[in-house]
Amino acid sequence: MSEQQQEQRHARRRVSGSYWVETAPGPPPRPALTEDLDVDVAVIGAGVAGLSTAYELTRAGLGVAVLEARRVAQGVTGHTTAKLTALHTLIYDKLRRTRDAQAARLYARSQSEAIERAAELVDELEIDCDWEPRSAYTFVRDASRVEEVRAEADAAREAGLPAKFVTETGLPFPVAGAVRVADQAQFHPRKYLLALTADLLERGGRLYEGTLVRGLTEGEPCRVTTQTGATVRARHVVVATHYPVFDRALLFARLSPRRELVVAGPVDTGQDPEGMYITPEENTRSVRTAPYGEDGQRLLIVTGEHFTPGTGDTPARFDHLSAWAREHFPGVDLTLSWATQDIDPTDTVPMVGPLHPGARNTYVATGFGGWGLSGGMMAGRLLTALITGRDCPWQELYDPRRLRTAVRQAPTFLKTQAEVARHFVGDRLRPAPPVESVPPGEGAVVRAGTDRLAVYRDEAGTLHPLSARCTHLGCLVAFNSAERAWECPCHGSRFGIDGEVLQGPATRPLERREL
């Protein structure tokens, strides 16, 4: 490989960082928790679900502490495409078929009220977060799928959304059909959540960053232990870590991780499709724009190419997504790229409520399936109702303890578990390359005697050997060269090149090894 080819390869594989994080860096880090603490509620995780829950609980008069392993809203929430809508691709017809029309109505109402609550807070707190009303579209280009879209439009309208079937959109290419729902919104999620955090702190809420939670003992009170050695005693605990770091109801078996790529770049206002779009075709394509710069340009944001973490060629997927964006939006200079991670439940609906069948004081919010903004805001309202003893019309819909719908979705459940088993066993049987074959800037799982090591070679040629066993449940990790991270294909844990935890459910780093 020539020097120029190597430079091109290294240039294309590196992500540049999330637009939301880069344009809203926020205040300096909050101190980690170093002393024991007593509160009414401990919320684990400071993404949209955790912060929305903490904020609503604080306004309800409870003493709340938020424990965040890294930084506020810099994880999954900081890497979203930031569409705030109740139109979640093709969910309403599926809910109507697999549950009933009432479930679809409750889903639509719960998501819509979450969006209305966000709009209220933007006005009340005067949050400058690029809030823009937009219509949301689910479209298809394949004529054979038009009936799916018609059915979705009917089901969404029956569920209470202002949904219409249309054949004309603002996209620069024809569609065979689309569902359109008006009066939805798009915004800057970090600006919104940083403002919410500031008001939370003013109201007496507490926030600790750099505080990784490692243990939970249920009781009265519950005890949450951290890697700093400090313990939080709380009457209630909410686990809002995207993928739960504690599994006491076989949640791991009912969730599957999905990674998705994002490319973005400025376009002229004439190229703005003036809406929020998504299609299940072509391995998912999502399109929206955001305000950009001072010369009237817009930032085009294109998402897609979803895949299981730790599988396949991520740089090639970025290339494929970029080519699609340039084909349909000629002249766009894709200056930004990042990735996000979603958690799909086997039965379509997020899991928000008691952590397990015997839980009295512990709760979870997970499985938002790519719609974590409205879902996380909904979770904040639902969990606040449960903790404060109020009824919520949709608490049964989202209850993680549901079994009837889980049984109905048994084929999806079994497929998910078969995939996990395939990786757990099959990845150990694959031939492993010699460590000498790992080039600078790359990583690979190599064999060292009877062990498997995850080895990264930096640009200077120094090797960084780690155990290849994920510290969650022992699957072998794989290297993502675009993001320079080790990823577990079983449950989505992610680690840095030196083994540090980037994303759970793992709570402990990969063990360091010697070659």
Side-chain angles (χ1 to χ4, degrees), residues 90 140-150 175-177 281:
L90 297 172
V140 294
R141 303 178 71 184
D142 183 350
S144 68
R145 302 194 67 173
V146 167
E147 290 310 309
E148 287 182 65
V149 175
R150 285 188 184 276
V175 303
E281 297 175 330

Side-chain angles (χ1 to χ4, degrees), residues 61 81 110 276 312 341 356 368 402:
T81 48
S110 65
M276 303 179 294
Q341 192 150 306
H356 58 83
F368 296 110
R402 60 189 183 253

Side-chain angles (χ1 to χ4, degrees), residues 70 75 483-486 493-497 499-504:
R70 298 175 74 81
E483 300 179 76
R484 294 194 176 184
W486 296 102
S493 295
R494 304 180 67 247
F495 306 86
I497 57 175
E500 72 274 20
V501 177
L502 301 178
Q503 195 161 354

Side-chain angles (χ1 to χ4, degrees), residues 166-433:
V166 298
T167 55
E168 297 291 332
T169 72
L171 290 168
F173 49 80
V175 303
V179 185
R180 176 181 181 270
V181 175
D183 302 323
Q184 308 298 283
Q186 58 189 26
F187 71 142
H188 193 303
R190 275 206 27 102
K191 289 181 179 179
Y192 171 83
L193 288 171
L194 289 174
L196 214 64
T197 301
D199 196 57
L200 165 75
L201 296 173
E202 288 184 7
R203 293 175 182 272
R206 305 184 190 188
L207 169 66
Y208 301 91
E209 294 182 303
T211 303
L212 180 67
V213 169
R214 286 197 169 150
L216 168 62
T217 303
E218 298 181 56
E220 297 182 1
C222 298
R223 291 175 175 268
V224 176
T225 54
T226 70
Q227 99 284 7
T228 64
T231 298
V232 179
R233 291 177 292 270
R235 290 166 49 205
H236 305 277
V237 175
V238 174
V239 180
T241 53
H242 194 56
Y243 203 112
V245 292
F246 304 111
D247 183 23
R248 302 183 181 182
L250 292 179
L251 293 181
F252 293 166
R254 297 155 59 196
L255 299 167
S256 58
R258 167 168 52 93
R259 200 140 186 86
E260 210 156 42
L261 308 181
V262 186
V263 294
V267 294
D268 294 332
T269 54
Q271 291 180 284
D272 184 359
E274 298 185 345
M276 303 179 294
Y277 300 87
I278 191 167
T279 178
E281 297 175 330
E282 300 184 80
N283 199 16
T284 306
R285 291 292 183 265
S286 169
V287 177
R288 64 156 288 194
T289 65
Y292 187 78
E294 300 178 356
D295 56 0
Q297 284 188 313
R298 303 284 295 180
L299 183 73
L300 176 71
I301 303 171
V302 178
T303 308
E305 293 298 307
H306 68 77
F307 60 98
T308 300
T311 63
D313 186 343
T314 306
R317 289 189 172 102
F318 266 117
D319 289 345
H320 194 196
L321 187 64
S322 298
W324 187 94
R326 293 189 180 101
E327 176 187 354
H328 297 294
F329 296 88
V332 62
D333 182 14
L334 297 172
T335 56
L336 295 167
S337 60
W338 66 91
T340 189
Q341 192 150 306
D342 297 316
I343 305 298
D344 295 321
T346 56
D347 64 351
T348 306
V349 176
M351 300 176 186
V352 181
L355 181 60
H356 58 83
R360 296 292 180 269
N361 304 304
T362 52
Y363 305 85
V364 68
T366 187
F368 296 110
W371 302 102
L373 289 179
S374 62
M377 295 170 184
M378 176 281 299
R381 292 164 61 80
L382 171 54
L383 292 174
T384 297
L386 293 176
I387 289 172
T388 57
R390 294 184 287 108
D391 289 331
C392 180
W394 41 84
Q395 65 187 56
E396 184 178 349
L397 173 68
Y398 292 103
D399 195 327
R401 301 168 299 182
R402 60 189 183 253
L403 295 177
R404 184 176 62 180
T405 55
V407 170
R408 288 177 182 172
Q409 299 298 320
T412 305
F413 170 86
L414 294 173
K415 180 180 179 181
T416 299
Q417 293 317 299
E419 187 68 12
V420 170
R422 183 178 71 83
H423 282 294
F424 190 89
V425 177
D427 290 353
R428 286 170 162 77
L429 300 178
R430 291 179 183 171

Side-chain angles (χ1 to χ4, degrees), residues 9 13 432-449 451-470 476-481 484-487 495-499 510-515:
R9 180 186 179 192
R13 74 168 174 218
V435 67
E436 294 80 8
S437 68
V438 180
E442 292 286 350
V445 174
V446 303
R447 186 178 294 279
D451 200 5
R452 294 287 182 107
L453 299 184
V455 176
Y456 172 75
R457 187 189 299 274
D458 63 29
E459 302 293 353
T462 303
L463 296 174
H464 301 258
L466 306 164
S467 168
R469 289 172 52 87
C470 176
L476 295 186
V477 297
F479 192 65
N480 178 335
S481 60
R484 294 194 176 184
W486 296 102
E487 297 177 341
F495 306 86
I497 57 175
D498 287 325
L510 295 178
E511 296 178 7
R512 300 199 177 194
R513 290 284 194 265
E514 295 292 335
L515 285 172

